[in-house]
């Protein structure tokens, strides 16, 4: 490539990568992550079995709503029953229980004893440090649990925010790690979010929370948390065990303490809504869909039989209940699997690298080859980004791919409009007059041919049609042209297939050169092989009966190897790449001598010597050739069917 082309390719790559690094395309970050979760699931499957999850969910599900124990009760009267389950969860060894349901009102005067027992259960769990209620940070005042519940758990000490703000496209991919809360006596403080609080209590590790600095949970610095959020590392499928509230309520009533110990000891428990229409969020897991029944597939029942008539197995949802977002955040923290995010300053690097590769392909390859190379590069990058996600790193997927595609389009257009314009002109101008190799050479040199030549050792091939003059007199001009086109096309294809080029056609004669313009150490061998192939091809065409208008042609071939002048020879306005010298003349004389000896192919002693042991020859004679003082030994290939016997010389 010329320096100008290299500069243009580099600028196009930089421009393409810069375009997709603009804020307007930041939405691609989220789409990349969502797609990578799907690719990772397809490539590696689920990363964790549900049974290994540090967090479990107690679901206020459709079955609970429709059960005899709950369906007649207003939801505000559910807390006492939840308290019954809460007590058993704590007794069964749960590390901490988070309640992702906010009951803002307490109904006074209805079953006061049950309400009192619920507050007692909350207070006991709070004293053990094993309960966290939820609130939602509103614009001015938070939406918080009722005054009675807040007092029971010690107020803000055990109440944390559960806000889940989405990205600009309303997809939830991150959760906050902290919220600013008002102190009763004035001022503000920094509280951890619900997920962070639950993880810290379950880990028993000190929590270091400071604005503008990474969250530290024990000795674990949470990636990306200096911006007060963490990027969720969603697993695939049903990775968090889920239990129906009504089953646990009946299990508690029958006093099955063993069930609670077996399933909840050492676990973080989240109580939340798992229904088709309530509290469902679109997350980065949206391309890995699930049906409602799959959430409960990994858990066994204690006191009830699952109802299969409440969910459709064929209905798969892209949204997930919000409680699983908090559960995923807790699991990420406890497993130390929060996703690492590439620093913003380096996000452009993959795009630039892939765009540079596409630019190089566009300038060095043809459009189809460059397109195929780009597809392979895109697949390689997608594989690399998927593997990186498996290792906990979120890399941009679409920006590098789109930058590479844009670079390819820009440079393909540049090549067509500017860079290749001169090459197309040269090829159109000279393709019919010069050997293809010569055209390729001058295009590579990016300059038109000029006058000049060089002395080279090469092999000259000269052939003509026997008795052509007599044949031409029996044909009309149209027929003669058709016959000659068929003959010359067939012979030319053979010459070029063996590495030679046709210098010129002289009536029915063909002058071809081997060993120029490209170097060919075996030019003599290739010339002889061409001659033999031409004889066989002509015999096949004669046998066809239709190729030459019913005529049968015979050819004579002379081959000579030696020094000759080869190059662009002619006037300054009109020239041709051709060969000149005694070596050419001798090949012509040998072609004519075939008439004297009744042979089809004659080669000079220099050609026979250059071929060496690659092919056997039979000596024909030692002759004096017009224009040369020294006699020349001539040979014919031993498998030349037309020279099976050497006739007596014609005198």
């Amino acid at each position: 490539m010329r320096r100008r082309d290299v500069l243009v390719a580099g600028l196009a790559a930089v421009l393409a990568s810069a375009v997709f690094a603009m804020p307007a395309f930041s939405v691609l970050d989220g789409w990349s992550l969502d797609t990578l979760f799907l690719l990772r699931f397809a490539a590696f499957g689920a990363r964790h079995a549900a049974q290994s999850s540090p967090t479990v969910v107690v679901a206020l599900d459709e079955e609970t709503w429709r059960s005899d124990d709950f369906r007649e009760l207003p939801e505000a009267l559910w807390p006492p029953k939840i308290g019954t389950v809460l007590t058993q969860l704590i007794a069964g060894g749960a590390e901490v229980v988070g309640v992702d349901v906010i009951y803002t009102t307490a109904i006074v005067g209805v079953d006061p004893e049950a309400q009192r027992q619920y507050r007692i259960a909350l207070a006991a769990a709070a004293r053990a440090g094993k309960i966290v209620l939820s609130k939602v940070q509103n614009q001015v005042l938070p939406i918080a649990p009722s005054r009675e519940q807040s007092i029971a758990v010690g107020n803000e000490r055990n109440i944390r925010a559960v806000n889940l703000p989405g990205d600009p496209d309303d997809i939830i991919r991150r959760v906050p790690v902290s919220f600013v809360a008002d102190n009763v006596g004035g001022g503000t403080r920094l509280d951890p979010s619900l997920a962070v609080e639950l993880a810290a209590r379950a880990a028993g590790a000190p929590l270091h929370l400071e604005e503008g600095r990474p969250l530290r949970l024990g000795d674990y610095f949470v990636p990306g948390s200096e911006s007060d959020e963490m990027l969720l590392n969603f697993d695939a499928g049903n990775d968090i065990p889920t239990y129906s509230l009504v089953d646990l309520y009946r299990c508690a009533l029958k006093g099955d303490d063993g069930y609670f110990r077996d399933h909840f000891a050492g676990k973080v428990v989240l109580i939340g809504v798992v229904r088709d229409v309530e509290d469902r969020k679109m997350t980065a897991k949206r391309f890995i869909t699930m049906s409602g029944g799959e959430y409960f597939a990994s858990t066994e029942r204690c006191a009830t039989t699952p109802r299969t008539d409440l969910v459709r197995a064929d209905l798969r949802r892209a949204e997930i209940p919000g409680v699983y977002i908090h559960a995923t955040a807790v699991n990420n923290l406890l497993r130390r699997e929060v996703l690492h995010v590439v620093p913003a300053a380096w996000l452009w690097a993959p795009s630039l690298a892939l765009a540079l590769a596409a630019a190089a392909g566009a300038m060095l390859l043809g459009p189809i080859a460059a397109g195929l190379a780009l597809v392979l590069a895109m697949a390689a990058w997608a594989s690399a980004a998927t593997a990186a996600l498996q290792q906990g790193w979120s890399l941009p997927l679409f920006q590098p791919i789109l930058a590479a595609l844009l670079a390819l389009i820009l440079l393909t257009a540049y090549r067509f409009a500017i860079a290749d314009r001169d090459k197309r002109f040269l090829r159109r101008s000279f393709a019919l007059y010069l050997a293809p190799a010569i055209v390729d050479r001058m295009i590579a040199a990016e300059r038109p041919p000029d006058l000049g030549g060089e002395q080279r050792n090469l092999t000259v091939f000269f052939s003509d049609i026997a008795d052509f003059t007599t044949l031409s007199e029996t044909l009309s001009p149209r027929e003669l042209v058709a016959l000659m086109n068929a003959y010359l096309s067939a012979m030319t294809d053979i010459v070029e297939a063996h590495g030679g080029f046709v210098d010129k056609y002289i009536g029915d004669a063909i002058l071809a050169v081997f060993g120029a313009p490209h170097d060919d150490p075996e030019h003599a061998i290739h010339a002889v092989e061409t001659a033999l192939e031409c004889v066989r091809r002509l015999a096949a065409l004669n046998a066809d009966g239709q190729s030459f208008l019913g005529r049968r042609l015979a050819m004579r071939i002379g081959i000579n190897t030696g020094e000759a002048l080869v190059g662009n020879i002619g006037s300054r306005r009109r020239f041709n790449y051709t060969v000149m010298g005694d070596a050419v003349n001798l090949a012509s004389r040998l072609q004519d001598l075939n008439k004297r000896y009744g042979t089809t192919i004659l080669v000079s002693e220099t050609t026979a010597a250059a071929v060496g042991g690659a092919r056997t020859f039979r000596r024909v004679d030692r002759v004096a050739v017009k224009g040369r003082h020294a006699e020349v030994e001539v040979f014919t290939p031993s498998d030349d069917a037309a020279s099976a016997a050497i006739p007596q010389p014609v005198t």
Side-chain angles (χ1 to χ4, degrees):
M1 290 191 295
R2 288 178 292 185
R3 182 178 299 177
R4 180 194 68 180
D5 295 339
V6 173
L7 179 61
V8 170
L11 290 175
V14 171
L15 174 63
S17 59
V19 165
F20 292 102
M22 297 171 62
F25 293 97
S26 61
V27 67
L28 294 175
D29 291 331
W31 295 351
S32 293
L33 182 61
D34 304 350
T35 305
L36 285 172
F37 277 127
L38 177 62
L39 293 176
R40 184 178 73 177
F41 177 53
F44 300 104
R47 302 175 69 241
H48 300 286
Q51 291 73 16
S52 69
S53 173
T55 306
V56 298
V57 168
V58 174
L60 282 63
D61 60 335
E62 201 72 32
E63 186 173 343
T64 299
W65 251 271
R66 296 177 183 274
S67 68
D68 294 339
D69 301 278
F70 289 86
R71 66 184 175 189
E72 300 295 337
L73 289 178
E75 291 184 36
L77 294 178
W78 284 23
K81 295 182 182 294
I82 295 175
T84 300
V85 175
L86 172 64
T87 300
Q88 285 297 109
L89 291 170
I90 301 298
E95 290 289 343
V96 62
V97 178
V99 182
D100 186 28
V101 185
I102 304 173
Y103 292 103
T104 59
T105 311
I107 299 180
V108 181
V110 179
D111 199 355
E113 179 59 24
Q115 298 285 347
R116 188 177 72 84
Q117 290 299 323
Y118 175 56
R119 291 194 295 272
I120 291 173
L122 289 177
R127 285 193 299 272
K130 292 194 172 187
I131 185 71
V132 182
L133 299 184
S134 302
K135 67 178 179 180
V136 174
Q137 292 286 84
N138 205 356
Q139 294 184 8
V140 179
L141 297 175
I143 300 172
S146 67
R147 180 172 177 273
E148 293 79 5
Q149 295 175 41
S150 297
I151 293 173
V153 298
N155 293 313
E156 294 299 330
R157 182 165 56 90
N158 288 307
I159 301 176
R160 295 291 180 260
V162 292
N163 297 61
L164 292 173
D167 283 357
D169 57 359
D170 292 328
I171 308 296
I172 295 175
R173 302 181 179 93
R174 300 164 176 80
V175 296
V177 298
S178 65
F179 292 91
V180 176
D182 294 325
N183 290 319
V184 175
T188 60
R189 67 181 186 278
L190 205 59
D191 282 345
S193 64
L194 174 69
V196 172
E197 182 70 38
L198 293 176
R201 295 193 188 188
L207 185 64
H208 300 274
L209 192 62
E210 185 178 346
E211 189 173 0
R213 296 183 64 85
L215 167 69
R216 182 155 60 94
L217 185 59
D219 61 350
Y220 177 47
F221 288 86
V222 179
S225 56
E226 62 274 7
S227 60
D228 201 36
E229 61 186 12
M230 51 184 264
L231 187 60
L232 293 173
N233 192 352
F234 285 100
D235 207 343
N238 175 29
D239 61 309
I240 299 173
T242 304
Y243 300 84
S244 176
L245 175 64
V246 66
D247 183 62
L248 296 184
Y249 177 67
R250 293 183 185 177
C251 190
L253 293 182
K254 76 174 186 175
D256 192 345
D257 299 339
Y259 180 86
F260 284 91
R261 285 194 301 271
D262 292 342
H263 293 81
F264 299 100
K267 299 289 187 179
V268 176
V269 182
L270 270 163
I271 300 175
V273 176
V274 180
R275 298 186 73 187
D276 279 348
V277 295
E278 187 176 348
D279 189 33
R280 298 189 72 94
K281 312 288 185 183
M282 190 73 77
T283 69
K285 197 178 180 179
R286 57 189 169 132
F287 297 136
I288 307 171
T289 58
M290 291 178 60
S291 66
E294 290 184 67
Y295 293 111
F296 302 89
S298 64
T299 56
E300 60 177 338
R301 291 298 183 105
C302 173
T304 64
T305 301
R307 291 186 58 177
T308 59
D309 60 324
L310 299 178
V311 293
R312 288 173 49 187
D314 64 327
L315 179 61
R316 307 185 68 82
R317 302 285 297 278
E319 307 94 343
I320 64 172
V323 66
Y324 291 106
I325 302 175
H326 300 296
T328 297
V330 175
N331 280 354
N332 287 174
L333 289 167
L334 294 178
R335 288 170 169 161
R336 302 190 174 195
E337 291 181 347
V338 175
L339 285 178
H340 294 265
V341 181
V342 177
W346 291 96
L347 280 176
W348 61 270
S351 296
L352 180 60
L354 209 60
L356 285 171
M363 297 303 293
L364 297 175
L365 304 174
I368 296 178
L372 292 175
L374 179 60
V375 170
L376 293 176
M378 290 176 176
W381 174 246
S383 300
T386 302
L389 186 66
Q390 179 72 354
Q391 298 302 317
W393 286 88
S394 173
L395 299 180
L397 173 64
F398 292 124
Q399 294 93 322
I401 289 175
L402 292 174
L405 184 60
L406 178 59
L408 179 67
I409 293 172
L410 290 175
L411 290 170
T412 300
Y414 166 76
R415 281 189 60 177
F416 181 80
I418 299 174
D420 290 351
R421 181 178 55 194
D422 294 340
K423 296 179 181 179
R424 291 195 301 273
F425 171 75
L426 289 174
R427 192 174 294 279
R428 287 196 306 267
S429 300
F430 296 101
L432 296 178
Y433 305 100
L434 299 178
I438 300 302
V439 177
D440 292 339
R441 179 189 293 179
M442 69 184 187
I443 287 175
E446 297 182 344
R447 61 182 179 82
D450 52 12
L451 294 176
E454 59 179 330
Q455 196 79 11
R456 297 182 65 163
N457 185 269
L458 44 76
T459 298
V460 180
F461 171 105
F462 206 101
S463 74
D464 76 347
I465 299 175
D467 298 321
F468 177 72
T469 302
T470 302
L471 173 67
S472 63
E473 292 175 352
T474 66
L475 297 172
S476 68
R478 183 183 297 274
E479 290 175 327
L480 182 61
V481 168
L483 184 147
M484 288 306 302
N485 286 343
Y487 167 78
L488 293 174
S489 295
M491 300 304 112
T492 300
D493 290 344
I494 296 172
V495 170
E496 293 181 347
H498 286 80
F501 85 91
V502 174
D503 182 335
K504 58 176 65 71
Y505 303 114
I506 309 170
D508 62 315
I510 299 174
L511 172 59
V513 178
F514 293 81
H518 290 311
D519 290 332
D520 180 6
E522 298 181 335
H523 52 80
I525 297 175
H526 293 154
V528 173
E529 290 176 347
T530 297
L532 294 170
E533 180 67 22
C534 286
V535 172
R536 288 191 289 268
R537 178 62 175 154
L538 184 60
L541 292 172
N542 284 332
D544 177 81
Q546 301 298 322
S547 301
F548 302 134
L549 306 176
R551 270 72 172 180
R552 296 177 62 84
L553 304 184
M555 68 187 309
R556 294 185 290 257
I557 301 172
I559 301 174
N560 179 45
T561 300
E563 295 291 324
L565 177 66
V566 62
N568 296 318
I569 299 170
S571 71
R572 289 184 175 83
R573 292 189 301 108
R574 184 178 181 86
F575 53 85
N576 191 22
Y577 187 85
T578 189
V579 62
M580 298 177 65
D582 182 61
V584 182
N585 297 332
L586 181 55
S588 176
R589 299 288 186 266
L590 294 179
Q591 176 273 131
D592 193 55
L593 279 175
N594 281 289
K595 292 185 290 185
R596 177 177 179 180
Y597 293 105
T599 54
T600 301
I601 303 171
L602 284 178
V603 304
S604 68
E605 57 190 10
T606 54
T607 299
V611 172
R615 184 165 296 279
T616 59
F617 296 91
R618 291 186 297 105
R619 181 178 178 278
V620 175
D621 201 354
R622 185 176 185 85
V623 297
V625 179
K626 184 179 179 181
R628 292 175 65 100
H629 297 294
E631 293 183 337
V632 178
E633 286 192 338
V634 294
F635 299 82
T636 188
S638 59
D639 54 353
D640 179 4
S643 306
I646 302 177
Q648 292 298 319
V650 178
T651 59

